[in-house]
Amino acid sequence: MRVSEIVGVTALLAGLAGPVVAGGLDCIATERCRTDGGGCAASRLSIELRALGAAKARLWIDRQGPYPARIARSGDITRITLENFGGSHGMDLHADGGFLYRGNGAKEFTGTCEGEL
């Protein structure tokens, strides 16, 4: 077996060893606002969200992560809560593709998502 074949087999096996990804969203924020009166500004924050079944997900925020998260659905809103940060970080996804992400230091980001969760 050549080295390239070994690398290919290893990559294939590594991919099969992880959890099955049920779906995903790619989100881009267009605005960042501070809830402590600091004002608003344009944003390009990116959030990648990959479901791991009906109630779990992983998030990458500006390509950092993955962060484990919980999914809860209620009517037209899907709430994603990061398991890190004491549950204070997370996002609300709306049926129209809009989102609100609550992050560090009283920052809230709004924008749109594409894909399915």
Side-chain angles (χ1 to χ4, degrees):
M1 194 178 263
R2 293 183 312 215
V3 172
S4 62
E5 290 172 342
I6 293 170
V7 171
V9 170
T10 303
L12 176 64
L13 292 175
L16 294 175
V20 175
V21 176
L25 290 172
D26 294 313
C27 308
I28 298 290
T30 54
E31 186 175 59
R32 176 200 43 87
C33 293
R34 294 189 58 91
T35 59
D36 59 4
C40 296
S43 175
R44 295 293 299 158
L45 180 83
S46 67
I47 300 172
E48 243 184 272
L49 188 117
R50 300 294 175 250
L52 302 172
K56 296 272 185 186
R58 288 190 180 149
L59 271 80
W60 287 261
I61 302 166
D62 276 343
R63 298 184 181 179
Q64 294 181 7
Y67 298 103
R70 294 182 311 275
I71 301 172
R73 292 177 170 86
S74 178
D76 287 343
I77 296 177
T78 300
R79 177 156 289 165
I80 310 297
T81 305
L82 275 69
E83 294 177 1
N84 305 42
F85 314 111
S88 63
H89 293 210
M91 63 192 295
D92 293 338
L93 304 171
H94 301 273
D96 66 358
F99 76 87
L100 167 68
Y101 174 77
R102 295 168 310 284
N104 284 341
K107 293 178 190 169
E108 291 186 344
F109 297 84
T110 55
T112 56
C113 298
E114 292 182 0
E116 271 188 48
L117 185 59

